[in-house]
Amino acid sequence: MTVTVPDDVDAVVYDLDGTLVRLTVDWRTVESEIAAVLRDADVDPSGLDAWAMLDAAEDAGVGSEVESLIAAAERDGARDARRLPFADEIETRLPIGICSLNCEQSCHIALEKHDLAERMESVVGRDSVPERKPAPEPLLAAAEELGATPERTLFVGDSAGDEEAAERAGTQFAYVGDGPTSY
């Protein structure tokens, strides 16, 4: 599981869920609740996952209601999150931060629960900037908060979406473990 930090890196940004911790979110229940909101807004949620439903909700003008549902589930899931083994291998000599698809508050909750918060100099969640991963803006915001240029930032994650965010932001990238998982 070890990630080697290249010599040309000035900061390391980590994905949170699936990389350092595992939030305990029942996504089927969340998606069912989102689907009900969408149906009430005359939007067909068939075949959409939570993130596509969030996009549809934003388009239908009910994005804040759906965002609140997701964020509440993430905050609850962060309180019960379990620490993953890689959390014991985080960088200790460079500035480090978080760039997550989870809401920022859930990131703080999980980091506090597992004594990782004090080390993080930047925490960027889904709701910290106007765009969300895999858009480059969240990762670029984290790198900037750490005082690093994108090309001298290493993003460590567990999903193809994390890799896409790194590519779009122009950062270096490393997978935790053997390769990508889904969101």
Side-chain angles (χ1 to χ4, degrees), residues 120-151:
M120 299 301 160
E121 296 178 39
S122 172
V123 176
V124 177
R126 175 183 66 252
D127 52 350
S128 304
V129 296
E131 299 292 326
R132 63 182 175 267
K133 287 189 324 182
E137 289 81 4
L139 184 50
L140 291 171
E144 183 176 328
E145 288 178 10
L146 296 173
T149 61
E151 58 276 355

Side-chain angles (χ1 to χ4, degrees), residues 43 53 71-72 77 123 136 141-142 148 153 160 181:
V43 175
M53 284 194 273
V123 176
T153 300
T181 60

Side-chain angles (χ1 to χ4, degrees), residues 133-180:
K133 287 189 324 182
E137 289 81 4
L139 184 50
L140 291 171
E144 183 176 328
E145 288 178 10
L146 296 173
T149 61
E151 58 276 355
R152 293 189 62 88
T153 300
L154 175 65
F155 185 39
V156 180
D158 68 313
S159 72
D162 292 334
E163 184 176 30
E164 180 182 346
E167 182 178 305
R168 293 175 70 188
T171 69
Q172 298 179 47
F173 182 74
Y175 275 111
V176 169
D178 298 327

Side-chain angles (χ1 to χ4, degrees), residues 33-76:
E33 292 171 357
I34 297 169
V37 171
L38 288 176
R39 282 191 290 277
D40 288 345
D42 293 323
V43 175
D44 181 8
S46 301
L48 302 177
D49 68 9
W51 307 117
M53 284 194 273
L54 178 56
D55 290 337
E58 289 168 346
D59 292 343
V62 292
S64 62
E65 184 177 351
V66 168
E67 172 62 35
S68 293
L69 285 171
I70 295 171
E74 289 171 340
R75 287 190 302 271
D76 289 344

